[in-house]
Amino acid sequence: MKAVKRVPVVQQVVESLKNYIITGHLEVGEKLPSEKELCETLSVGRGTLREAIRALEATGYVEIRPGKGAFIAGKNHEDIKNLSVWFEKNEVEIIDFLRVRQAIEPLAVKLAIQNSRPENIEELQRIMKRTIEAADAFDAPMLSLCDEQFHAYIVSCSGNKLLISIYNLMALALREFRKKTFFVPSNVKNLVKPHQEILNAFIEHIPENGEQAMLKHLDLIMNDLEKSKAMPNE
């Protein structure tokens, strides 16, 4: 017998909302109930609900319209068969962004470790915990969200306004790449271990280790892009 795994609350909310979207009476383009209604129905806080909505946005079920709410964007699962075509079509643009990340994120993590406080490490540990849970469940949308949170939080901890501004612009552009890349099993493997190595550098407070771990991580992402293009699309 295997140990029974506890399903994170956010993932439970994701599954409930996904089931509601797929089997409910609402059509594509219609608005989901308000945050207040969903929180009361699901008995969860706003933070948990918003994280679940973001995960659903990452996989194409929901579209978030600023100031208006969340709307149903689709009722079908991500079409994995066409992933390699997408990666090949967008390769040049993705590589451009990854090269900029290779230039700024090692510096960002070095500064972040130099400036780090215990609460920063605790937040990264919380994100890492959710990442491991999502990887165990092969939950691509949640992995996409965790990856974005991990990197964005490190850059924010650098305290460098220019780095933060540049990264935020890239993060928006890379969101579609993140949505798709974690449907590839090998890409999931190359997320968890590098993130743990970066977190270890924070815990040990060794900026140079964090810098090298980030460089190694971004090199792996570049290699993963090549492998993703080679997936069968039939």
Side-chain angles (χ1 to χ4, degrees):
M1 292 187 290
K2 293 183 179 180
V4 177
K5 293 184 178 179
R6 293 183 179 180
V7 180
V9 175
V10 172
Q11 182 57 28
Q12 292 180 50
V13 176
V14 167
E15 293 303 321
S16 293
L17 288 174
K18 190 186 295 184
N19 185 62
Y20 174 78
I21 290 168
I22 294 172
T23 63
H25 299 293
L26 295 178
E27 299 298 327
V28 172
E30 290 191 78
K31 185 179 179 180
L32 282 172
S34 68
E35 272 193 0
K36 182 180 179 182
E37 291 176 280
L38 290 174
C39 285
E40 291 176 352
T41 300
L42 297 167
S43 298
V44 295
R46 289 180 183 269
T48 298
L49 177 66
R50 288 174 183 173
E51 197 167 333
I53 292 290
R54 284 283 306 279
L56 289 169
E57 180 190 30
T59 196
Y61 285 97
V62 167
E63 175 190 0
I64 299 174
R65 300 177 189 174
K68 296 183 178 180
F71 294 76
I72 296 178
K75 295 191 173 188
N76 299 315
H77 291 285
E78 182 74 35
D79 187 1
I80 300 175
K81 293 181 181 179
N82 294 322
L83 280 176
S84 61
V85 175
W86 184 90
F87 284 117
E88 186 169 3
K89 180 180 178 182
N90 294 276
E91 177 187 14
V92 174
E93 182 180 2
I94 294 169
I95 287 175
D96 285 345
F97 282 110
L98 288 176
R99 283 175 176 159
V100 175
R101 289 184 69 186
Q102 287 174 324
I104 71 166
E105 288 198 59
L107 172 60
V109 74
K110 185 176 181 179
L111 294 173
I113 293 173
Q114 289 172 349
N115 300 331
S116 67
R117 299 187 299 273
E119 56 265 32
N120 301 138
I121 296 172
E122 289 170 3
E123 177 59 23
L124 288 172
Q125 288 173 324
R126 283 191 287 269
I127 297 172
M128 192 69 225
K129 182 176 182 293
R130 293 197 296 270
T131 301
I132 293 171
E133 291 169 345
D136 288 342
F138 195 60
D139 184 348
M142 185 58 66
L143 284 167
S144 171
L145 180 62
C146 290
D147 184 51
E148 183 174 333
Q149 290 176 338
F150 187 83
H151 286 272
Y153 188 72
I154 287 174
V155 175
S156 71
C157 289
S158 74
N160 187 298
K161 293 182 179 180
L162 181 57
L163 284 177
I164 294 168
S165 178
I166 294 171
Y167 181 80
N168 287 342
L169 288 173
M170 289 196 305
L172 289 172
L174 285 169
R175 188 162 288 170
E176 190 65 23
F177 170 67
R178 279 191 165 108
K179 288 179 185 179
K180 296 180 183 297
T181 192
F182 297 118
F183 283 97
V184 182
S186 61
N187 295 356
V188 175
K189 179 181 178 181
N190 287 337
L191 168 73
V192 176
K193 185 178 178 181
H195 278 203
Q196 186 62 61
E197 290 175 351
I198 293 168
L199 175 56
N200 289 343
F202 272 88
I203 295 170
E204 296 163 0
H205 201 77
I206 305 177
E208 292 74 18
N209 285 4
E211 185 179 26
Q212 291 303 311
M214 182 65 78
L215 277 169
K216 181 181 176 182
H217 178 32
L218 294 171
D219 285 344
L220 280 173
I221 294 174
M222 192 75 81
N223 291 335
D224 286 342
L225 175 60
E226 287 298 317
K227 293 177 184 177
S228 298
K229 284 166 49 189
M231 288 189 308
N233 55 21
E234 298 179 358

